[in-house]
Amino acid sequence: MADELRLSREALAAPFVRKVEELSGQNLYACYQCGKCAAGCLFTEAMDALPNQVLRRVQLGDESVLAASAPWACASCLACAVRCPKGVDVARVMEALRLLSLRRGLPHLDPRATAGVPQIALVGAFRKLTP
Amino acid sequence: MSGVENRRQERKSEEAAVARGPQERNFRSRIPYFPGCAMKDQARDYERAAQAALAALGCELVELPRWNCCGTVYSLANDDLMRHVGPVRNLIRVQDMGESRVLTLCAMCYGTLRRSARFVAADPERLSRINAFMSDEHDYRGGVEVLHLLGFLRDVVGYENLASKVVRPLTGVRAAPYYGCTLVRPREVGVDDPDRSEVLERVLSALGAEVAEFPYKVECCGAYLTVGAPAIVAGRVRDIVASAAANGADLIVTSCPLCQFNLEARRPGTGPRLPVVYLGQLLAWALGADACLPPEAEALIQGTTPAAAGAQQR
Ligand code: SF4
Ligand code: SF4
């Protein structure tokens, strides 16, 4: 996480926050940090920021969240989405962050990883990596 | 080809089937079927098993002509109209057959097709843009219902009817129902309630099995992460299998070929090694088909169920 977050009107109105809102279709400020999404997420061991922390950083306009591992560990299983008491679909926020990274050209899958896995997994994995 | 022409052709092939003999005449209902990539690739055995099981129930699967990949994972982004083209094109195939339902055997296909159908139904503007993009197709008019095998067993076949067709009841077998994620989430498209599911449990009971409840039944196996992050999936699978075993299961039943792959291929080398079977295989077995189960599962079932042992001797 960024060492220091400067909270300002500019940060909150930043194009980054608007873009995440637009791509995910979510009201990011509905989240009140109860942490239920993180409590149910099965993939937090592989995340350097919990799902609710990812959301918080987006709320604060902290663009460095794009470098977090969380969106890539997220499997879009929607456990968080069905449990959030505020109706925030965190998985959609994760998807938006993946897409923003991808659209900036950050590659994330080594094609050599594809040996021995079935087609259904390959299509899924590559779809998730298509900007 | 128009729906009417298509219907006519189907009738012709039905007549031809009647001419071929009683085996094929047995089918009482025919249902359009979307296989998806897995059923024609790693999961061929599961497709064969499910077909045999449905045949025993009097249903014939009619594969969609010229179907294409559904995309396997549903796009969660708001600006991704493009990713709905694949699923919608398949729905047009169903419409062109003059039909309004389509069956899938795969939870991922079920998720993408059903969610895309809802996505375009919710907004005529989206639909007209997708239709305009596919100028070489008939316009999709909406209204195609996407079914998964489990919903089909509940709503079309019926649990009691299913139970009455069982010839090798799974008495004594404790089966852990594993749904994974796309079959039950999001709530509005899930085949059952994500918190209080019963459809797979009821199907297993109809087959005569005991249900081994376990807390991981709707928890994700890691899905496509198996490609880029197999270690994450291995961790998930370890917990799922251990939990099923700790709750007394003899085997785990899946309804998705990707869960099936992960639960088998990413199973830890140590710890409990429960057989993992695809629902269609277990169905086919219980309904009397042979050579549908993996050997470890067949051995286990034969060793456990008195009825199965009896049926073998007959
Ligand atoms: S569950 Fe919802 S409200 Fe709670 S922290 Fe997660 S996103 Fe925020
Ligand atoms: S959708 Fe992603 S963030 Fe949400 S619970 Fe599943 S893996 Fe975790």
Side-chain angles (χ1 to χ4, degrees):
Chain A
M1 192 184 283
D3 296 324
E4 187 183 317
L5 278 179
R6 287 190 178 279
L7 191 54
S8 67
R9 203 180 288 276
E10 287 70 43
L12 296 185
F16 170 65
V17 186
R18 294 288 90 79
K19 195 68 200 166
V20 176
E21 258 176 5
E22 183 191 318
L23 279 177
S24 66
Q26 301 304 297
N27 175 5
L28 303 169
Y29 297 102
C31 167
Y32 56 7
Q33 290 296 306
C34 68
K36 192 159 186 195
C37 50
C41 179
L42 302 166
F43 300 90
T44 51
E45 262 175 50
M47 294 179 176
D48 51 10
L50 298 171
N52 63 304
Q53 292 175 331
V54 167
L55 242 131
R56 187 70 179 139
R57 286 168 69 181
V58 179
Q59 286 177 337
L60 296 175
D62 174 12
E63 224 169 307
S64 77
V65 71
L66 283 180
S69 65
W72 305 103
C74 164
S76 298
C77 75
L78 306 191
C80 52
V82 297
R83 287 174 195 164
C84 172
K86 297 290 284 175
V88 181
D89 189 334
V90 186
R92 286 188 185 265
V93 176
M94 295 289 194
E95 180 103 324
L97 296 175
R98 277 191 296 268
L99 286 175
L100 283 174
S101 295
L102 290 167
R103 289 171 191 181
R104 290 173 190 194
L106 307 176
H108 267 93
L109 184 65
D110 180 350
R112 280 169 302 186
T114 57
V117 292
Q119 196 168 352
I120 184 169
L122 288 179
V123 176
F126 282 108
R127 273 240 148 177
K128 281 292 185 191
L129 289 162
T130 307
Chain B
M1 202 189 301
S2 79
V4 180
E5 274 173 282
N6 229 315
R7 264 310 213 185
R8 203 170 294 144
Q9 232 187 20
E10 257 177 41
R11 241 192 319 275
K12 260 194 211 145
S13 67
E14 262 164 19
E15 279 160 20
V18 170
R20 276 199 297 274
Q23 262 233 301
E24 299 194 52
R25 214 187 316 143
N26 255 338
F27 290 122
R28 275 182 290 104
S29 78
R30 293 156 60 82
I31 177 139
Y33 159 57
F34 174 80
C37 63
M39 292 297 158
K40 298 297 177 190
D41 175 41
Q42 130 254 8
R44 266 185 186 279
D45 288 349
Y46 311 156
E47 182 186 53
R48 265 195 291 272
Q51 273 166 340
L54 286 165
L57 294 169
C59 310
E60 184 196 4
L61 301 182
V62 185
E63 189 170 319
L64 302 193
R66 292 197 303 129
W67 54 269
N68 53 263
C69 176
C70 69
T72 75
V73 286
Y74 183 82
S75 171
L76 297 171
N78 266 3
D79 68 345
D80 247 0
L81 219 48
M82 193 62 195
R83 298 204 193 182
H84 295 277
V85 169
V88 171
R89 203 187 287 273
N90 289 313
L91 301 176
I92 293 175
R93 300 281 170 265
V94 180
Q95 183 180 282
D96 284 352
M97 287 167 83
E99 298 277 0
S100 59
R101 312 180 294 177
V102 59
L103 182 80
T104 67
L105 299 175
C106 166
M108 307 282 276
C109 300
Y110 171 76
T112 50
L113 295 180
R114 190 169 169 105
R115 293 178 79 180
S116 279
R118 281 180 63 96
F119 177 82
V120 297
D123 182 352
E125 165 71 19
R126 292 171 186 161
L127 179 56
S128 70
R129 283 175 68 185
I130 291 175
N131 277 334
F133 180 82
M134 290 186 282
S135 52
D136 53 342
E137 303 280 2
H138 294 126
D139 278 357
Y140 178 57
R141 295 186 301 272
V144 170
E145 193 192 352
V146 181
L147 301 170
H148 179 270
L149 174 63
L150 275 173
F152 185 79
L153 291 173
R154 175 190 56 205
D155 303 331
V156 181
V157 176
Y159 300 127
E160 271 132 59
N161 182 23
L162 173 61
S164 74
K165 301 267 167 53
V166 169
V167 297
R168 279 194 285 228
L170 301 169
T171 324
V173 176
R174 282 180 59 85
Y178 181 69
Y179 290 86
C181 45
T182 54
L183 210 48
V184 285
R185 291 190 294 269
R187 199 177 291 274
E188 15 0 310
V189 296
V191 75
D192 205 344
D193 188 293
D195 303 315
R196 278 173 292 273
S197 59
E198 61 163 28
V199 53
L200 182 47
E201 290 82 340
R202 302 258 328 241
V203 166
L204 293 174
S205 304
L207 302 185
E210 259 177 76
V211 175
E213 282 288 345
F214 73 123
Y216 284 71
K217 67 183 180 184
V218 292
E219 300 210 335
C220 176
C221 67
Y224 63 88
L225 290 179
T226 202
V227 182
I232 294 183
V233 177
R236 300 295 329 124
V237 171
R238 179 197 60 217
D239 293 353
I240 292 165
V241 174
S243 166
N247 284 280
D250 298 321
L251 50 78
I252 301 178
V253 183
T254 66
S255 53
C256 167
L258 185 49
C259 299
Q260 177 73 30
F261 171 81
N262 281 343
L263 259 53
E264 276 183 334
R266 305 284 181 241
R267 237 175 338 183
T270 56
R273 284 193 66 84
L274 307 185
V276 183
V277 295
Y278 169 69
L279 170 66
Q281 296 177 302
L282 204 60
L283 268 179
W285 165 270
L287 296 171
D290 283 316
C292 50
L293 281 174
E296 47 168 9
E298 186 165 334
L300 180 132
I301 290 173
Q302 291 210 352
T304 316
T305 64
Q312 279 305 297
Q313 279 152 19
R314 274 204 299 278

PDB file of all heavy atoms in Angstrom, chain A residues 37-38 40-44 47 51 70-71 73-81 83 89-92 94 98, chain B residues 76 185 220 225, ligand 2:
ATOM      1  N   CYS A  37     -16.815  -8.786   2.645  1.00  0.00           N
ATOM      2  CA  CYS A  37     -16.300  -9.330   1.383  1.00  0.00           C
ATOM      3  C   CYS A  37     -14.987 -10.067   1.627  1.00  0.00           C
ATOM      4  O   CYS A  37     -14.777 -11.179   1.136  1.00  0.00           O
ATOM      5  CB  CYS A  37     -16.117  -8.226   0.353  1.00  0.00           C
ATOM      6  SG  CYS A  37     -15.188  -6.806   0.962  1.00  0.00           S
ATOM      7  N   ALA A  38     -14.099  -9.441   2.421  1.00  0.00           N
ATOM      8  CA  ALA A  38     -12.799 -10.054   2.684  1.00  0.00           C
ATOM      9  C   ALA A  38     -12.945 -11.309   3.534  1.00  0.00           C
ATOM     10  O   ALA A  38     -12.224 -12.295   3.355  1.00  0.00           O
ATOM     11  CB  ALA A  38     -11.886  -9.052   3.377  1.00  0.00           C
ATOM     12  N   GLY A  40     -15.257 -13.463   3.452  1.00  0.00           N
ATOM     13  CA  GLY A  40     -15.738 -14.607   2.674  1.00  0.00           C
ATOM     14  C   GLY A  40     -14.846 -14.963   1.511  1.00  0.00           C
ATOM     15  O   GLY A  40     -14.978 -16.030   0.920  1.00  0.00           O
ATOM     16  N   CYS A  41     -13.936 -14.078   1.161  1.00  0.00           N
ATOM     17  CA  CYS A  41     -13.094 -14.324  -0.016  1.00  0.00           C
ATOM     18  C   CYS A  41     -12.119 -15.461   0.275  1.00  0.00           C
ATOM     19  O   CYS A  41     -11.452 -15.476   1.305  1.00  0.00           O
ATOM     20  CB  CYS A  41     -12.322 -13.067  -0.408  1.00  0.00           C
ATOM     21  SG  CYS A  41     -11.240 -13.337  -1.833  1.00  0.00           S
ATOM     22  N   LEU A  42     -12.041 -16.403  -0.673  1.00  0.00           N
ATOM     23  CA  LEU A  42     -11.199 -17.584  -0.463  1.00  0.00           C
ATOM     24  C   LEU A  42      -9.780 -17.376  -0.961  1.00  0.00           C
ATOM     25  O   LEU A  42      -8.957 -18.264  -0.872  1.00  0.00           O
ATOM     26  CB  LEU A  42     -11.812 -18.762  -1.214  1.00  0.00           C
ATOM     27  CG  LEU A  42     -13.236 -19.082  -0.799  1.00  0.00           C
ATOM     28  CD1 LEU A  42     -13.875 -20.007  -1.796  1.00  0.00           C
ATOM     29  CD2 LEU A  42     -13.251 -19.688   0.586  1.00  0.00           C
ATOM     30  N   PHE A  43      -9.525 -16.217  -1.520  1.00  0.00           N
ATOM     31  CA  PHE A  43      -8.256 -16.050  -2.208  1.00  0.00           C
ATOM     32  C   PHE A  43      -7.364 -14.993  -1.560  1.00  0.00           C
ATOM     33  O   PHE A  43      -6.387 -14.563  -2.151  1.00  0.00           O
ATOM     34  CB  PHE A  43      -8.525 -15.723  -3.683  1.00  0.00           C
ATOM     35  CG  PHE A  43      -9.292 -16.823  -4.355  1.00  0.00           C
ATOM     36  CD1 PHE A  43     -10.683 -16.818  -4.369  1.00  0.00           C
ATOM     37  CD2 PHE A  43      -8.639 -17.911  -4.913  1.00  0.00           C
ATOM     38  CE1 PHE A  43     -11.396 -17.853  -4.952  1.00  0.00           C
ATOM     39  CE2 PHE A  43      -9.347 -18.955  -5.500  1.00  0.00           C
ATOM     40  CZ  PHE A  43     -10.724 -18.927  -5.515  1.00  0.00           C
ATOM     41  N   THR A  44      -7.720 -14.605  -0.319  1.00  0.00           N
ATOM     42  CA  THR A  44      -6.984 -13.505   0.303  1.00  0.00           C
ATOM     43  C   THR A  44      -5.532 -13.868   0.606  1.00  0.00           C
ATOM     44  O   THR A  44      -4.692 -12.987   0.713  1.00  0.00           O
ATOM     45  CB  THR A  44      -7.667 -13.067   1.609  1.00  0.00           C
ATOM     46  OG1 THR A  44      -7.880 -14.221   2.413  1.00  0.00           O
ATOM     47  CG2 THR A  44      -9.004 -12.410   1.335  1.00  0.00           C
ATOM     48  N   MET A  47      -3.518 -12.370  -1.867  1.00  0.00           N
ATOM     49  CA  MET A  47      -3.760 -10.941  -2.111  1.00  0.00           C
ATOM     50  C   MET A  47      -2.902 -10.088  -1.184  1.00  0.00           C
ATOM     51  O   MET A  47      -2.821 -10.369   0.009  1.00  0.00           O
ATOM     52  CB  MET A  47      -5.236 -10.608  -1.860  1.00  0.00           C
ATOM     53  CG  MET A  47      -6.200 -11.256  -2.844  1.00  0.00           C
ATOM     54  SD  MET A  47      -7.920 -10.828  -2.458  1.00  0.00           S
ATOM     55  CE  MET A  47      -8.766 -11.635  -3.827  1.00  0.00           C
ATOM     56  N   PRO A  51     -10.024  -7.491  -0.267  1.00  0.00           N
ATOM     57  CA  PRO A  51     -11.018  -6.877  -1.151  1.00  0.00           C
ATOM     58  C   PRO A  51     -11.557  -5.535  -0.634  1.00  0.00           C
ATOM     59  O   PRO A  51     -11.678  -4.576  -1.396  1.00  0.00           O
ATOM     60  CB  PRO A  51     -12.124  -7.939  -1.216  1.00  0.00           C
ATOM     61  CG  PRO A  51     -11.387  -9.231  -1.053  1.00  0.00           C
ATOM     62  CD  PRO A  51     -10.273  -8.934  -0.096  1.00  0.00           C
ATOM     63  N   ALA A  70      -4.329  -8.352  -5.750  1.00  0.00           N
ATOM     64  CA  ALA A  70      -5.697  -8.805  -5.469  1.00  0.00           C
ATOM     65  C   ALA A  70      -6.555  -9.030  -6.723  1.00  0.00           C
ATOM     66  O   ALA A  70      -7.174 -10.088  -6.861  1.00  0.00           O
ATOM     67  CB  ALA A  70      -6.378  -7.839  -4.514  1.00  0.00           C
ATOM     68  N   PRO A  71      -6.604  -8.076  -7.643  1.00  0.00           N
ATOM     69  CA  PRO A  71      -7.470  -8.299  -8.799  1.00  0.00           C
ATOM     70  C   PRO A  71      -7.091  -9.562  -9.586  1.00  0.00           C
ATOM     71  O   PRO A  71      -7.945 -10.190 -10.203  1.00  0.00           O
ATOM     72  CB  PRO A  71      -7.280  -7.044  -9.657  1.00  0.00           C
ATOM     73  CG  PRO A  71      -6.800  -5.998  -8.706  1.00  0.00           C
ATOM     74  CD  PRO A  71      -5.996  -6.738  -7.676  1.00  0.00           C
ATOM     75  N   ALA A  73      -5.696 -12.295  -8.228  1.00  0.00           N
ATOM     76  CA  ALA A  73      -5.995 -13.496  -7.444  1.00  0.00           C
ATOM     77  C   ALA A  73      -7.503 -13.736  -7.406  1.00  0.00           C
ATOM     78  O   ALA A  73      -7.956 -14.847  -7.148  1.00  0.00           O
ATOM     79  CB  ALA A  73      -5.459 -13.345  -6.028  1.00  0.00           C
ATOM     80  N   CYS A  74      -8.272 -12.700  -7.659  1.00  0.00           N
ATOM     81  CA  CYS A  74      -9.732 -12.825  -7.650  1.00  0.00           C
ATOM     82  C   CYS A  74     -10.168 -13.745  -8.780  1.00  0.00           C
ATOM     83  O   CYS A  74      -9.724 -13.622  -9.912  1.00  0.00           O
ATOM     84  CB  CYS A  74     -10.364 -11.438  -7.830  1.00  0.00           C
ATOM     85  SG  CYS A  74     -12.109 -11.502  -8.284  1.00  0.00           S
ATOM     86  N   ALA A  75     -11.040 -14.710  -8.457  1.00  0.00           N
ATOM     87  CA  ALA A  75     -11.490 -15.686  -9.453  1.00  0.00           C
ATOM     88  C   ALA A  75     -12.888 -15.364  -9.955  1.00  0.00           C
ATOM     89  O   ALA A  75     -13.515 -16.184 -10.615  1.00  0.00           O
ATOM     90  CB  ALA A  75     -11.454 -17.088  -8.856  1.00  0.00           C
ATOM     91  N   SER A  76     -13.393 -14.203  -9.623  1.00  0.00           N
ATOM     92  CA  SER A  76     -14.762 -13.812 -10.022  1.00  0.00           C
ATOM     93  C   SER A  76     -15.799 -14.817  -9.528  1.00  0.00           C
ATOM     94  O   SER A  76     -16.736 -15.154 -10.243  1.00  0.00           O
ATOM     95  CB  SER A  76     -14.888 -13.681 -11.536  1.00  0.00           C
ATOM     96  OG  SER A  76     -14.043 -12.677 -12.006  1.00  0.00           O
ATOM     97  N   CYS A  77     -15.617 -15.289  -8.307  1.00  0.00           N
ATOM     98  CA  CYS A  77     -16.523 -16.324  -7.802  1.00  0.00           C
ATOM     99  C   CYS A  77     -17.803 -15.711  -7.232  1.00  0.00           C
ATOM    100  O   CYS A  77     -18.769 -16.423  -6.962  1.00  0.00           O
ATOM    101  CB  CYS A  77     -15.827 -17.148  -6.735  1.00  0.00           C
ATOM    102  SG  CYS A  77     -15.658 -16.298  -5.161  1.00  0.00           S
ATOM    103  N   LEU A  78     -17.789 -14.411  -7.027  1.00  0.00           N
ATOM    104  CA  LEU A  78     -18.975 -13.646  -6.597  1.00  0.00           C
ATOM    105  C   LEU A  78     -19.435 -13.924  -5.168  1.00  0.00           C
ATOM    106  O   LEU A  78     -20.541 -13.537  -4.789  1.00  0.00           O
ATOM    107  CB  LEU A  78     -20.155 -13.842  -7.557  1.00  0.00           C
ATOM    108  CG  LEU A  78     -19.901 -13.562  -9.039  1.00  0.00           C
ATOM    109  CD1 LEU A  78     -21.224 -13.544  -9.790  1.00  0.00           C
ATOM    110  CD2 LEU A  78     -19.180 -12.253  -9.264  1.00  0.00           C
ATOM    111  N   ALA A  79     -18.594 -14.595  -4.390  1.00  0.00           N
ATOM    112  CA  ALA A  79     -18.957 -14.800  -2.979  1.00  0.00           C
ATOM    113  C   ALA A  79     -19.142 -13.441  -2.310  1.00  0.00           C
ATOM    114  O   ALA A  79     -20.089 -13.219  -1.553  1.00  0.00           O
ATOM    115  CB  ALA A  79     -17.882 -15.608  -2.269  1.00  0.00           C
ATOM    116  N   CYS A  80     -18.233 -12.502  -2.623  1.00  0.00           N
ATOM    117  CA  CYS A  80     -18.327 -11.162  -2.029  1.00  0.00           C
ATOM    118  C   CYS A  80     -19.587 -10.447  -2.504  1.00  0.00           C
ATOM    119  O   CYS A  80     -20.274  -9.783  -1.730  1.00  0.00           O
ATOM    120  CB  CYS A  80     -17.089 -10.344  -2.395  1.00  0.00           C
ATOM    121  SG  CYS A  80     -16.730 -10.326  -4.169  1.00  0.00           S
ATOM    122  N   ALA A  81     -19.878 -10.610  -3.790  1.00  0.00           N
ATOM    123  CA  ALA A  81     -20.991  -9.866  -4.382  1.00  0.00           C
ATOM    124  C   ALA A  81     -22.331 -10.256  -3.760  1.00  0.00           C
ATOM    125  O   ALA A  81     -23.179  -9.403  -3.530  1.00  0.00           O
ATOM    126  CB  ALA A  81     -21.024 -10.094  -5.889  1.00  0.00           C
ATOM    127  N   ARG A  83     -22.749 -11.338  -0.774  1.00  0.00           N
ATOM    128  CA  ARG A  83     -22.774 -11.150   0.683  1.00  0.00           C
ATOM    129  C   ARG A  83     -22.704  -9.695   1.128  1.00  0.00           C
ATOM    130  O   ARG A  83     -23.008  -9.389   2.275  1.00  0.00           O
ATOM    131  CB  ARG A  83     -21.618 -11.908   1.329  1.00  0.00           C
ATOM    132  CG  ARG A  83     -21.871 -13.396   1.325  1.00  0.00           C
ATOM    133  CD  ARG A  83     -20.690 -14.182   1.826  1.00  0.00           C
ATOM    134  NE  ARG A  83     -20.854 -15.589   1.459  1.00  0.00           N
ATOM    135  CZ  ARG A  83     -19.878 -16.466   1.470  1.00  0.00           C
ATOM    136  NH1 ARG A  83     -18.679 -16.101   1.838  1.00  0.00           N
ATOM    137  NH2 ARG A  83     -20.094 -17.717   1.126  1.00  0.00           N
ATOM    138  N   ASP A  89     -20.918  -4.867  -5.713  1.00  0.00           N
ATOM    139  CA  ASP A  89     -20.381  -6.056  -6.374  1.00  0.00           C
ATOM    140  C   ASP A  89     -18.871  -5.872  -6.501  1.00  0.00           C
ATOM    141  O   ASP A  89     -18.360  -5.286  -7.459  1.00  0.00           O
ATOM    142  CB  ASP A  89     -21.046  -6.219  -7.738  1.00  0.00           C
ATOM    143  CG  ASP A  89     -20.700  -7.546  -8.393  1.00  0.00           C
ATOM    144  OD1 ASP A  89     -19.626  -8.104  -8.071  1.00  0.00           O
ATOM    145  OD2 ASP A  89     -21.485  -8.022  -9.223  1.00  0.00           O
ATOM    146  N   VAL A  90     -18.155  -6.365  -5.499  1.00  0.00           N
ATOM    147  CA  VAL A  90     -16.701  -6.172  -5.447  1.00  0.00           C
ATOM    148  C   VAL A  90     -16.020  -6.828  -6.643  1.00  0.00           C
ATOM    149  O   VAL A  90     -15.030  -6.317  -7.177  1.00  0.00           O
ATOM    150  CB  VAL A  90     -16.113  -6.736  -4.129  1.00  0.00           C
ATOM    151  CG1 VAL A  90     -14.639  -6.414  -4.012  1.00  0.00           C
ATOM    152  CG2 VAL A  90     -16.865  -6.184  -2.932  1.00  0.00           C
ATOM    153  N   ALA A  91     -16.584  -7.972  -7.088  1.00  0.00           N
ATOM    154  CA  ALA A  91     -15.979  -8.668  -8.220  1.00  0.00           C
ATOM    155  C   ALA A  91     -15.963  -7.772  -9.462  1.00  0.00           C
ATOM    156  O   ALA A  91     -15.038  -7.836 -10.274  1.00  0.00           O
ATOM    157  CB  ALA A  91     -16.742  -9.955  -8.508  1.00  0.00           C
ATOM    158  N   ARG A  92     -16.977  -6.933  -9.602  1.00  0.00           N
ATOM    159  CA  ARG A  92     -17.001  -6.014 -10.750  1.00  0.00           C
ATOM    160  C   ARG A  92     -15.921  -4.945 -10.618  1.00  0.00           C
ATOM    161  O   ARG A  92     -15.350  -4.494 -11.607  1.00  0.00           O
ATOM    162  CB  ARG A  92     -18.378  -5.367 -10.905  1.00  0.00           C
ATOM    163  CG  ARG A  92     -19.411  -6.333 -11.469  1.00  0.00           C
ATOM    164  CD  ARG A  92     -20.727  -5.632 -11.801  1.00  0.00           C
ATOM    165  NE  ARG A  92     -21.721  -6.596 -12.228  1.00  0.00           N
ATOM    166  CZ  ARG A  92     -21.956  -6.900 -13.515  1.00  0.00           C
ATOM    167  NH1 ARG A  92     -21.300  -6.283 -14.475  1.00  0.00           N
ATOM    168  NH2 ARG A  92     -22.855  -7.808 -13.821  1.00  0.00           N
ATOM    169  N   MET A  94     -13.070  -5.476  -9.104  1.00  0.00           N
ATOM    170  CA  MET A  94     -11.842  -6.210  -9.442  1.00  0.00           C
ATOM    171  C   MET A  94     -11.687  -6.308 -10.962  1.00  0.00           C
ATOM    172  O   MET A  94     -10.590  -6.146 -11.496  1.00  0.00           O
ATOM    173  CB  MET A  94     -11.882  -7.619  -8.847  1.00  0.00           C
ATOM    174  CG  MET A  94     -11.881  -7.646  -7.331  1.00  0.00           C
ATOM    175  SD  MET A  94     -10.287  -7.161  -6.660  1.00  0.00           S
ATOM    176  CE  MET A  94     -10.472  -7.686  -4.964  1.00  0.00           C
ATOM    177  N   ARG A  98      -8.638  -4.902 -13.284  1.00  0.00           N
ATOM    178  CA  ARG A  98      -7.892  -5.744 -14.237  1.00  0.00           C
ATOM    179  C   ARG A  98      -7.906  -5.089 -15.609  1.00  0.00           C
ATOM    180  O   ARG A  98      -6.874  -4.993 -16.271  1.00  0.00           O
ATOM    181  CB  ARG A  98      -8.528  -7.133 -14.338  1.00  0.00           C
ATOM    182  CG  ARG A  98      -8.130  -8.114 -13.267  1.00  0.00           C
ATOM    183  CD  ARG A  98      -8.601  -9.528 -13.607  1.00  0.00           C
ATOM    184  NE  ARG A  98     -10.044  -9.635 -13.656  1.00  0.00           N
ATOM    185  CZ  ARG A  98     -10.803  -9.979 -12.612  1.00  0.00           C
ATOM    186  NH1 ARG A  98     -10.246 -10.274 -11.460  1.00  0.00           N
ATOM    187  NH2 ARG A  98     -12.113 -10.051 -12.726  1.00  0.00           N
TER     188      ARG A  98
ATOM    189  N   LEU B  76     -17.588  -8.866 -16.412  1.00  0.00           N
ATOM    190  CA  LEU B  76     -18.238  -8.074 -15.368  1.00  0.00           C
ATOM    191  C   LEU B  76     -18.124  -6.575 -15.636  1.00  0.00           C
ATOM    192  O   LEU B  76     -18.512  -5.758 -14.809  1.00  0.00           O
ATOM    193  CB  LEU B  76     -17.604  -8.397 -14.008  1.00  0.00           C
ATOM    194  CG  LEU B  76     -17.769  -9.851 -13.555  1.00  0.00           C
ATOM    195  CD1 LEU B  76     -16.935 -10.137 -12.326  1.00  0.00           C
ATOM    196  CD2 LEU B  76     -19.234 -10.151 -13.267  1.00  0.00           C
ATOM    197  N   ARG B 185     -24.276 -18.463  -8.314  1.00  0.00           N
ATOM    198  CA  ARG B 185     -24.090 -17.025  -8.178  1.00  0.00           C
ATOM    199  C   ARG B 185     -23.937 -16.382  -9.542  1.00  0.00           C
ATOM    200  O   ARG B 185     -23.325 -17.010 -10.420  1.00  0.00           O
ATOM    201  CB  ARG B 185     -22.842 -16.721  -7.319  1.00  0.00           C
ATOM    202  CG  ARG B 185     -23.040 -17.098  -5.874  1.00  0.00           C
ATOM    203  CD  ARG B 185     -21.909 -16.568  -5.007  1.00  0.00           C
ATOM    204  NE  ARG B 185     -20.627 -17.187  -5.298  1.00  0.00           N
ATOM    205  CZ  ARG B 185     -20.144 -18.273  -4.698  1.00  0.00           C
ATOM    206  NH1 ARG B 185     -20.827 -18.879  -3.766  1.00  0.00           N
ATOM    207  NH2 ARG B 185     -18.969 -18.759  -5.019  1.00  0.00           N
ATOM    208  N   CYS B 220     -15.721 -21.432  -4.332  1.00  0.00           N
ATOM    209  CA  CYS B 220     -15.026 -21.521  -5.624  1.00  0.00           C
ATOM    210  C   CYS B 220     -13.759 -22.386  -5.551  1.00  0.00           C
ATOM    211  O   CYS B 220     -13.024 -22.351  -4.571  1.00  0.00           O
ATOM    212  CB  CYS B 220     -14.673 -20.107  -6.051  1.00  0.00           C
ATOM    213  SG  CYS B 220     -13.717 -19.964  -7.549  1.00  0.00           S
ATOM    214  N   LEU B 225      -8.055 -19.828 -12.745  1.00  0.00           N
ATOM    215  CA  LEU B 225      -6.753 -19.521 -12.144  1.00  0.00           C
ATOM    216  C   LEU B 225      -5.834 -20.735 -12.232  1.00  0.00           C
ATOM    217  O   LEU B 225      -4.623 -20.630 -12.012  1.00  0.00           O
ATOM    218  CB  LEU B 225      -6.913 -19.111 -10.675  1.00  0.00           C
ATOM    219  CG  LEU B 225      -7.576 -17.766 -10.379  1.00  0.00           C
ATOM    220  CD1 LEU B 225      -7.674 -17.546  -8.876  1.00  0.00           C
ATOM    221  CD2 LEU B 225      -6.819 -16.608 -11.015  1.00  0.00           C
TER     222      LEU B 225
HETATM  223  S1  SF4 C   2     -15.151 -12.515  -6.484  1.00  0.00           S
HETATM  224 FE1  SF4 C   2     -12.991 -12.181  -6.186  1.00  0.00          FE
HETATM  225  S2  SF4 C   2     -12.815 -10.775  -4.475  1.00  0.00           S
HETATM  226 FE2  SF4 C   2     -14.883 -11.591  -4.456  1.00  0.00          FE
HETATM  227  S3  SF4 C   2     -14.816 -13.330  -3.048  1.00  0.00           S
HETATM  228 FE3  SF4 C   2     -14.473 -14.148  -5.100  1.00  0.00          FE
HETATM  229  S4  SF4 C   2     -12.277 -14.140  -5.405  1.00  0.00           S
HETATM  230 FE4  SF4 C   2     -12.716 -12.830  -3.607  1.00  0.00          FE
END
